[in-house]
Amino acid sequence: MNWWLVPEPRPPGQVYLVGGAVRDHLLGLPVGERDWVVVGAGPAAMQAAGFRPVGKDFPVFLHPHSGEEYALARTERKSGRGYKGFTVYAGPEVSLADDLRRRDLTINAIAMGSDGALIDPYGGQTDLAQRRLRHVSPAFAEDPLRVLRVARFAARFAQFDFRVAAETLALMRQLAHGGELVELVPERVWQEFEKVFAGPAPAEFFRCLRDCGALAVLVPDLDRQFGIPQPPRHHPEIDCGLHNLLALEQAVRLGAQPQVIFAVLCHDFGKGTTPEAVLPGHRGHEQRGVPMIAAFCERYKAPKAYRELAMLTAEFHLHAHRALELRAETLLKLFDRFDVWRRPERFEDFLVACEADARGRTGLEDRAYPQADYLRAALRHAGQIQAAGIAASGISGAAIGRELQRRRLNALRDFRSGEQQHEH
């Protein structure tokens, strides 16, 4: 691939490909967006060359034809708390090494010149080879958002066995215990979460946050589950927190969508509030978890679809596990609660989350989950009864709804009776 394919007009100054594009290229991964740094030029020269300014906090310009971003080399100086508390300087005398120094990790601080040569002043290539996530400079500790970014990179590159360097983990602990994580803008934190939910290893993300103490600040309802026991007959792994991470791994294995990953993350929040006297049992944890999820979603401004699925999954996942025992009346209430007649896709997401929960247990990762197919079959059976057919028989008004419920209930009774006869 010709990395130096910069269309006309060329920007003034010296131009370098930087960041993720170089990193992923060196790892042999597909490269998405390309980011460029321009050294030795100012805003006026960029605009004179036809580049359109778009940066609010620092000078970034879009190429008039390709639309790719070209940022002027810049330095950053801490001037306040939070991840926005920085003063940016982008004069033409700022060097490439100065610009790379402000980046978070050495593997993201490698540049490529027009001749294909790599500029790597902070040892990023060595860290790539040694599978190490290491900060570029002590300035890392000035931006609390980097705690989440490092954890996200640990998750993204878990398949390559990357590990956070000890000195970097120490800085992450400093940030986690220093109070600045609390000041992060909730919507910005959610953006990081959502990227993780769509990524290859969300369990590794939360494991990394716990290693540095950030999980207790950002997701306390998950953090407090670690060390809490469960009945070994159902949970050979015993530890509630470990089970949650195992369930996340199974959700990825099942090809779960991001909102399902989130539901799995939250499904046992209530276990963190189980009175010690009744452990290792967790009776009522489903209902206790619902308001906790609501508060978590309010804190981070989670989208409605995420919130609804997570709350329903927490409340009803034991219904799914016991599906073969449920009475027809309970099945109908479950379907109505999920509004399956209008939103069947949400119920399907619920079943995937429940299967991940059932398989997220040591030694049980490959066990069958017939409950999901049983519930799907029951839904198909009841779903054959439609309001239009009832109206066609001459029933009208509110009586249609009552008759619809009666017929669906009878259909579910017939289904259960048929299933029981089939078993015997």
Side-chain angles (χ1 to χ4, degrees):
M1 178 178 180
N2 182 6
W3 288 95
W4 195 251
L5 194 60
V6 181
E8 294 294 337
R10 290 284 306 277
Q14 297 171 290
V15 185
Y16 300 89
L17 184 67
V18 294
V22 179
R23 178 200 65 225
D24 291 351
H25 170 63
L26 294 175
L27 285 172
L29 296 174
V31 173
E33 295 182 356
R34 299 187 302 175
D35 292 315
W36 305 88
V37 161
V38 181
V39 178
M46 292 292 288
Q47 290 182 265
F51 288 74
R52 180 164 57 90
V54 293
K56 295 180 180 179
D57 299 322
F58 47 83
V60 177
F61 299 82
L62 297 183
H63 192 283
H65 303 312
S66 71
E68 290 185 323
E69 290 189 356
Y70 290 74
L72 296 183
R74 65 185 188 272
T75 60
E76 294 174 349
R77 182 174 55 83
K78 187 71 169 173
S79 58
R81 292 178 67 84
Y83 76 99
K84 285 190 174 181
F86 291 90
T87 299
V88 175
Y89 177 73
E93 71 276 16
V94 177
S95 69
L96 178 62
D98 291 335
D99 182 90
L100 295 176
R101 181 178 171 80
R102 67 174 177 77
R103 297 173 185 267
D104 50 8
L105 298 172
T106 61
I107 64 170
N108 298 327
I110 308 171
M112 180 181 288
S114 59
D115 57 357
L118 296 174
I119 298 91
D120 180 19
Y122 304 108
Q125 293 175 87
T126 299
D127 287 336
L128 280 175
Q130 296 183 358
R131 301 301 194 242
R132 183 168 54 204
L133 300 174
R134 183 170 61 88
H135 62 283
V136 175
S137 76
F140 175 95
E142 296 177 351
D143 184 356
L145 189 65
R146 287 177 168 176
V147 172
L148 283 88
R149 281 179 53 82
V150 172
R152 180 161 58 81
F153 280 118
R156 180 179 176 186
F157 296 133
Q159 60 180 315
F160 297 109
D161 295 322
F162 271 82
R163 292 292 180 267
V164 181
E167 60 268 34
T168 302
L169 194 62
L171 286 181
M172 293 168 68
R173 289 196 181 105
Q174 176 183 319
L175 284 166
H177 296 295
E180 286 204 68
L181 291 180
V182 179
E183 299 185 20
L184 290 174
V185 176
E187 291 86 347
R188 187 64 185 85
V189 175
W190 179 260
Q191 287 176 15
E192 293 294 315
F193 283 165
E194 210 161 15
K195 291 175 183 176
V196 170
F197 299 148
E204 187 60 39
F205 172 81
F206 294 105
R207 189 177 289 115
C208 183
L209 289 184
R210 185 163 188 268
D211 286 345
C212 71
L215 191 64
V217 180
L218 298 170
V219 196
D221 296 321
L222 173 60
D223 185 73
R224 65 169 58 97
Q225 291 179 37
F226 288 89
I228 294 180
Q230 302 174 101
R233 182 166 65 94
H234 300 297
H235 287 275
E237 73 287 344
I238 300 177
D239 187 280
C240 288
L242 176 57
H243 159 64
N244 217 319
L245 297 184
L246 293 173
L248 286 172
E249 291 174 355
Q250 291 302 310
V252 172
R253 186 180 176 193
L254 292 168
Q257 296 297 308
Q259 69 270 18
V260 179
I261 299 290
F262 179 64
V264 173
L265 173 74
C266 301
H267 80 283
D268 274 348
F269 272 8
K271 287 183 176 178
T273 63
T274 300
E276 188 173 349
V278 302
L279 294 174
H282 291 276
R283 183 179 297 275
H285 78 275
E286 316 95 280
Q287 290 77 20
R288 291 199 307 273
V290 173
M292 299 167 69
I293 295 170
F296 181 84
C297 291
E298 179 63 26
R299 174 182 177 183
Y300 290 115
K301 316 302 179 188
K304 183 179 179 182
Y306 281 78
R307 181 176 70 250
E308 289 181 346
L309 178 63
M311 293 171 67
L312 287 168
T313 299
E315 185 173 359
F316 294 107
H317 62 280
L318 293 191
H319 279 58
H321 297 339
R322 299 167 181 159
L324 279 63
E325 308 166 16
L326 299 182
R327 298 183 305 127
E329 291 83 355
T330 306
L331 285 171
L332 184 58
K333 288 179 181 177
L334 179 67
F335 293 156
D336 285 342
R337 184 69 177 82
F338 272 84
D339 194 15
V340 296
W341 322 111
R342 294 187 303 170
R343 300 185 61 181
E345 72 288 343
R346 184 170 65 180
F347 191 69
E348 183 61 34
D349 285 344
F350 165 72
L351 294 179
V352 174
C354 292
E355 183 168 358
D357 174 31
R359 290 186 174 191
R361 308 167 194 223
T362 301
L364 302 176
E365 296 87 354
D366 296 314
R367 74 168 172 180
Y369 192 68
Q371 296 93 322
D373 285 337
Y374 179 88
L375 288 170
R376 292 183 184 108
L379 179 56
R380 286 194 299 271
H381 209 75
Q384 295 173 6
I385 313 298
Q386 297 291 328
I390 296 173
S393 67
I395 299 176
S396 61
I400 293 178
R402 293 191 294 269
E403 182 65 13
L404 184 63
Q405 289 294 89
R406 188 187 71 80
R407 293 189 188 185
R408 282 175 172 166
L409 181 59
N410 285 336
L412 288 170
R413 286 171 175 158
D414 292 342
F415 169 77
R416 289 195 76 251
S417 176
E419 287 294 309
Q420 291 168 354
Q421 290 177 7
H422 179 71
E423 290 176 9
H424 297 294

